[in-house]
Amino acid sequence: MTQKPQSVQADVVTIGESMVSMQPMAEGPLAYAPLFTKSIAGAESNVAIGLSRLGLRARWIGRLGVDPFGDLIQSTLAGEGVDTSLAERDPQHPTAIYFKEFKGYGDPNVYYYRKGSAASRLSPEHVKPEWFHGARHLHVTGITPALGERTADAVAVAMKMARSQGLTVSFDPNLRRKLWTEEAARRTLLALIPLCDLFLPGLEEAEFLLGELPEEEQYGQRFRDMGPSAVALKLGERGAIGFEEGRAPLRVSPYPVARVVDTVGAGDAFAAGLLSVYLNQALTADIRFERALQAACAMGAIATQYRGDWEGLPKRAELDRLLAGGRDVTR
Ligand code: KDG
């Protein structure tokens, strides 16, 4: 009998679907794109890679097919230092694929081929206590609940189980309108907010969930009233606002962006930057959230300036240098 390797200790566990991503090498209509680069993608594994590059121990849990694309995902994540030893392989259902289309302006279009994928079959029975053993924090997103009939229940069970084992939980709603109806998305995402400690919506997602409120600051209070002790509201090119118990809302300026190339993955980079500082117990509570938001904004800004969902994410030393206002020595 082959024994599964013991999973390593983890600062952060993420659970979600990772796919193979196909990016056309040139801008223009996808239908006529002759050449593609192949990589991997997935909001939660993007966060895991970001954290690993920033020096944290990340564990990714997901379901992949028993196929070459599943192998590619698992080996790419392992190559990035992410623990994948608890990922499951499903012989009956395939690994998903997604295609990007760069139009030359605005956000790229994405086309998913993920219905019936191994990850879409995730169900509450798959969630195991050992996923959280030796870990401090769980990060989940609103993409997984949209994937299959039982995936929302599985995410809720995972959030509760993680908390019962003493982990804190962050939740990024990551609204993907192509995956479900607005009504199902709103109902399901709202129901998951009370199960997290740190909620990470973008402004558009906040408006989608609560309706338009007169002041941006009001979103933070409303979400905090649902349960999370902290909320980070992403404002894109205007930075972010942090809301924490007992403190005034904290506005953080954006990190400068020279040229936006590809916005996909920016929210995941933000989450990785935020968690990398927020989970640092050596920092005192009075500076921790502000520093975390600054790192988050810098990571999000960096992510918009290269093609690919995670490939250009910086390592710890590079991020520290950028945050200190230093330049890279490139030659
Ligand atoms: O946040 C980036 C993700 O959206 C991307 O990597 C692919 O997970 C993905 C999705 O479902 O869109």
Side-chain angles (χ1 to χ4, degrees), residues 203 214-220 233 235 238 241 243 251:
L203 181 59
E215 307 281 341
E216 284 170 349
E217 275 75 9
Q218 290 173 315
Y219 292 107
L233 182 66
L235 304 177
R238 290 189 298 111
I241 318 178
F243 305 88
R251 264 189 195 264

Side-chain angles (χ1 to χ4, degrees), residues 13 34 91 107 161 205 225:
V13 178
D107 294 339
M161 198 183 281
E205 291 164 333
D225 288 345

Side-chain angles (χ1 to χ4, degrees), residues 98-110:
Y98 102 119
F99 289 81
K100 275 167 141 177
E101 178 181 57
F102 295 98
K103 297 160 289 181
Y105 61 90
D107 294 339
N109 284 331
V110 306

Side-chain angles (χ1 to χ4, degrees), residues 249-284:
L250 194 62
R251 264 189 195 264
V252 170
S253 310
Y255 188 85
V257 171
R259 192 169 69 96
V260 174
V261 176
D262 177 0
T263 50
V264 180
D268 307 327
F270 181 99
L274 189 91
L275 293 176
S276 74
V277 180
Y278 201 71
L279 296 175
N280 181 350
Q281 284 152 342
L283 293 173
T284 52

Side-chain angles (χ1 to χ4, degrees), residues 4-8 59-61 74 82-88:
K4 263 204 149 189
Q6 276 276 302
S7 74
V8 293
R59 177 185 302 160
W60 174 80
I61 291 168
Q74 211 161 351
V82 175
D83 173 21
T84 65
S85 56
L86 295 177
E88 290 181 5

Side-chain angles (χ1 to χ4, degrees), residues 22-82:
M22 302 293 283
Q23 299 199 116
M25 290 180 69
E27 287 166 0
L30 185 62
Y32 302 108
L35 296 169
F36 293 82
T37 52
K38 179 161 99 321
S39 183
I40 73 160
E44 302 80 4
S45 56
N46 298 340
V47 173
I49 292 171
L51 288 166
S52 176
R53 289 197 180 176
L54 293 177
L56 280 83
R57 296 161 305 176
R59 177 185 302 160
W60 174 80
I61 291 168
R63 307 190 81 250
L64 300 166
V66 179
D67 49 33
F69 284 171
D71 295 345
L72 172 70
I73 290 168
Q74 211 161 351
S75 63
T76 306
L77 291 176
E80 285 290 333
V82 175

